[in-house]
Structure formats: structure tokens, C-alpha cells
Amino acid sequence: MNLLSALPLKVLWVFLFINAISFNFFPSFTTNRLAFLALTIFFILRYRFVFKQKEILLLFFLLSLACYSMVVSVLNIGDTTQFSRLFHFALFSILAPLMLFRMLNNEYEFHLAVVFATIAQIFFVFLTYTSRSFNDVLFSVVLANNNFGESLGRAPGLSSSGGATLSVIISLGAFSIVRLAKFGMSSWHLPVLILICFSNIIVGRTGLILSLFALMMFFTRSRVNMRSMLMFLLLAFVFWLFIADFLIQNEQFLQYTLKWALSGLSGDGTASALLAMGLPKMSISQLLLGTGSVVLPTGLNASGSDIGYVQSIFSLGLIISCLFYSLLFCFLSSYAKGCNDEKFAFFIIFLTFFIEVKEPFIFKYFYVFYVFMSLLLLKRERV
């Protein structure tokens, strides 16, 4: 029996892998590592490692960069975070899709699993947003690298990250619905897509923007039938009947969440904060070759910037960083060319580098995993 032969197992594996949940009793034991280990064991037992030359070369390049990062860190008495990032990127973002691709039957079942994993997370998003007692129990076990569970201003979900990272994870379900619609419209597609957009209002603006992009793609690429519209209207009625009244009377939504969401449209939001983050003072050699540092001994950000590109340049140097991003773009684009949905393929590749301006999402692994997995399946499928 194939490890992923049943839909519930696919959904569970996708949920554990993309959400990367940590636990208080063993912080380094994350669910994405567990999922990757299970995938690797079953792959070794049932398949042979047969990869294309460009895939082997990229893995070798990434491991070489990891070694370079280690050398720079040792010479500059830095930390090993960038080494860990590159090593795990090679495993989780490149090797995992290559193995999973061999074990899935088609593109449809992958995107269906992503959507159901997203719906499961949305359930926890609303639950953790409305119930402090549930959060007390949940986060006594789950390690939360944020304080959202304390204030309930933003929904932490069943996640160790929350915020922008969780919102982008949720947005993956929106893009999967866009692809599923190409196989045939279903009445549940639009309502779930709207639900994803709404859930990101109380999670993170980055994912909300991506979800709205997906919603626009859905309308421009698909014919919305009457059943979908009726389902949407029914969902809107239920929302107004049960949820809208709760939100209108909910102090945390009015005093924090709504103001926080709307601040993204003004100069007081994330955009202005990012614009204030530039490269810190560095010598010419440090700028070109890197400092080897990502995190200070105090736990603070060594570069002083949330921007993924700035963190990479500060750690790896301008030369290696440009080489890394350029080769990654060329590698992903090589799979997009000639696939059966080039517009979708190149758009999600573009978003890979677009959201890196917000945070180092490339080194959070799940988004490139999703993009590469989608590209591999797009090369195989014919809709």
C-alpha cells in the first residue's frame, strides 16, 4: 500500500509538513521533520533515487553553499543559522518534492490535499481567535514563537509561527483551488476561496494579499456557475447571521484586528516599516563575501532587517546571494516553460521572490516546496 494512497493520509502529511509545528517538550522536533523522515523512509523502501542532472546539480550547489556559509561563520565567529537554512532548504524545498512527486498519482490529489489541510488550519484559526481557554491548553504543548496567543489580537492557529508565515501557508489553499477549477468547476470552490481570504484578515496581511491574487485569478480563469454563486450567498448569509454580529460586538476585533488589517493600506503599516530597513553598515569584504551571521547570541536579528534579501546578503554576501537567487529562479523557470499552465506557473514563481521582500519565506521552506511540487505535476499533467 502506498503511504499516500488514502486522502486523509495525504491531508495529514501536507498539514504536518507545511505548518512545521514545534512542541514545548522538544523544540527541535518539528512536524515537518517528522513528515520528511516518514516520506524518506517509505521512498527508500519502495523507489529508487533517479533524478535529472539539473536536480542533482542544484542539490550539490545548495550543499556547497551551506559549507561556504559554515566557513564564513567560523572565520567571522558567527552563527550556523544560514548553514541550517541552506541544508534544510535542500531537503525540504527540493528533495521532498522530488520524492513526493514519485508517490502521488496526479496533480489533482495534491491540490485537493492542500485545500483540505488549509480548511483544517482555518478551523484552528477561528478557534484560537475566539477561545483563550483553548489557547491555554494548546500552547501548553505547542511552542508558539509569537505572543498572538496572549493578546488574541491576531489568530495564532495550530502553528508555531503565526502572523505572516501562517497567512502565506493558508493562502496556498487558495492557489490550489485555482488549479482544481481547471479540472472542472465545483460549487464549493468559490465559498472556500472566500473563506480563506476572510480567515487571513485575522491572521496576516501578506497571506491576505496572496489570497486576493488567487481570487482574482479564479474569476479571470474560471466560469463561476450558478451553484457556486448560491453556495457563496449561503455562506455570506451564515457569516452575517452568526459571525458578523460576533465581530461587531467583539472588542479585540474592533480595537486591534481591524485597525491592524487596515493599517496595511496606510503609511503606518508593514510597507513603511520595511522601507526603513536597509543594509546595516558593512565593510566592502563583508558586503561581497558575507558576515556569516543571521542571529546574534542575544537571539536578535543580526542584520536588523526582516527582509529576506537583506538577511541573505548580510550572511552570505552580495555575490553568493545573487548567485543563489538567480539559479533558483532559473531552476524553477525551467520547469515552468512548456508546462500545461505557464501563466499559473510563472505567477507563483514570481510570488516566491515577491514575498521575500517581506520576510525570508524562501528559507521557511513550505512555499518553494509548494511551487516546485506544483511545477513537477504541471509538467506531468495534461488537463
Side-chain angles (χ1 to χ4, degrees):
M1 178 180 173
N2 192 319
L3 170 65
L4 300 176
S5 59
L7 180 60
L9 283 177
K10 298 169 193 170
V11 174
L12 177 62
W13 189 93
V14 169
F15 185 91
L16 295 177
F17 187 81
I18 64 177
N19 285 287
I21 303 165
S22 302
F23 301 94
N24 290 317
F25 59 85
F26 195 1
S28 60
F29 177 78
T30 57
T31 57
N32 62 338
R33 291 179 179 179
L34 175 64
F36 178 80
L37 178 62
L39 178 69
T40 304
I41 291 173
F42 277 88
F43 185 87
I44 291 173
L45 292 175
R46 294 180 61 89
Y47 302 93
R48 289 172 48 233
F49 285 93
V50 180
F51 302 135
K52 296 179 180 178
Q53 184 180 24
K54 62 181 178 182
E55 296 162 352
I56 296 173
L57 289 175
L58 180 66
L59 288 171
F60 177 77
F61 170 73
L62 291 171
L63 295 177
S64 298
L65 282 191
C67 293
Y68 169 82
S69 174
M70 178 63 75
V71 171
V72 174
S73 297
V74 170
L75 294 177
N76 290 277
I77 317 178
D79 59 279
T80 59
T81 303
Q82 192 64 51
F83 169 84
S84 177
R85 282 181 170 183
L86 288 163
F87 179 76
H88 286 98
F89 178 81
L91 296 183
F92 295 160
S93 299
I94 305 301
L95 185 58
L98 290 172
M99 291 191 293
L100 185 62
F101 172 70
R102 296 278 299 278
M103 302 175 72
L104 290 178
N105 295 321
N106 53 60
E107 181 190 5
Y108 183 87
E109 65 180 13
F110 169 70
H111 288 298
L112 192 63
V114 171
V115 171
F116 279 113
T118 300
I119 293 172
Q121 183 60 266
I122 289 174
F123 169 79
F124 286 107
V125 161
F126 288 119
L127 189 58
T128 55
Y129 185 72
T130 56
S131 176
R132 188 179 296 274
S133 59
F134 177 78
N135 285 0
D136 292 339
V137 175
L138 178 65
F139 293 110
S140 66
V141 179
V142 173
L143 176 65
N145 297 317
N146 55 63
N147 61 354
F148 299 148
E150 299 174 7
S151 66
L152 288 185
R154 294 162 68 181
L158 181 51
S159 169
S160 293
S161 52
T165 299
L166 178 59
S167 72
V168 176
I169 291 172
I170 291 173
S171 74
L172 299 183
F175 289 104
S176 283
I177 289 177
V178 172
R179 275 303 299 161
L180 288 175
K182 297 297 289 185
F183 291 89
M185 281 291 298
S186 180
S187 58
W188 61 267
H189 286 165
L190 180 58
V192 173
L193 192 46
I194 297 295
L195 182 65
I196 290 171
C197 293
F198 176 75
S199 67
N200 267 332
I201 293 176
I202 58 174
V203 177
R205 287 179 297 239
T206 308
L208 175 59
I209 293 171
L210 297 190
S211 300
L212 292 174
F213 281 156
L215 182 62
M216 288 188 288
M217 290 181 69
F218 180 83
F219 279 117
T220 56
R221 292 158 51 96
S222 309
R223 291 183 178 180
V224 180
N225 56 36
M226 185 59 66
R227 291 179 64 183
S228 296
M229 288 304 299
L230 289 174
M231 285 287 290
F232 169 69
L233 292 174
L234 178 62
L235 182 66
F237 176 75
V238 171
F239 167 79
W240 181 256
L241 197 64
F242 296 102
I243 302 177
D245 187 57
F246 166 80
L247 292 178
I248 291 171
Q249 299 179 28
N250 187 278
E251 186 176 346
Q252 76 187 39
F253 180 79
L254 295 175
Q255 294 299 318
Y256 178 84
T257 309
L258 186 60
K259 291 181 180 179
W260 161 81
L262 293 176
S263 70
L265 303 176
S266 69
D268 299 325
T270 302
S272 59
L274 290 173
L275 289 173
M277 295 180 183
L279 277 171
K281 291 183 179 180
M282 303 168 67
S283 66
I284 296 299
S285 61
Q286 287 178 329
L287 177 62
L288 295 177
L289 302 177
T291 65
S293 295
V294 176
V295 181
L296 296 174
T298 59
L300 297 175
N301 187 332
S303 66
S305 175
D306 291 338
I307 300 173
Y309 297 113
V310 172
Q311 290 188 21
S312 294
I313 292 171
F314 188 79
S315 177
L316 292 171
L318 183 62
I319 298 173
I320 297 299
S321 295
C322 290
L323 184 62
F324 167 75
Y325 288 117
S326 299
L327 287 180
L328 178 61
F329 175 78
C330 292
F331 178 78
L332 295 176
S333 297
S334 69
Y335 287 89
K337 293 175 182 176
C339 74
N340 86 32
D341 194 346
E342 286 194 5
K343 290 182 179 179
F344 177 84
F346 278 109
F347 187 70
I348 60 175
I349 291 173
F350 162 75
L351 291 179
T352 304
F353 299 93
F354 173 72
I355 61 177
E356 191 74 359
V357 174
K358 172 67 171 64
E359 289 182 21
F361 283 107
I362 285 177
F363 291 117
K364 294 182 181 181
Y365 319 125
F366 68 88
Y367 190 81
V368 176
F369 160 81
Y370 176 84
V371 171
F372 189 31
M373 190 71 218
S374 298
L375 295 175
L376 287 169
L377 292 166
L378 279 168
K379 272 289 191 180
R380 173 201 281 174
E381 297 293 331
R382 286 291 178 268
V383 178

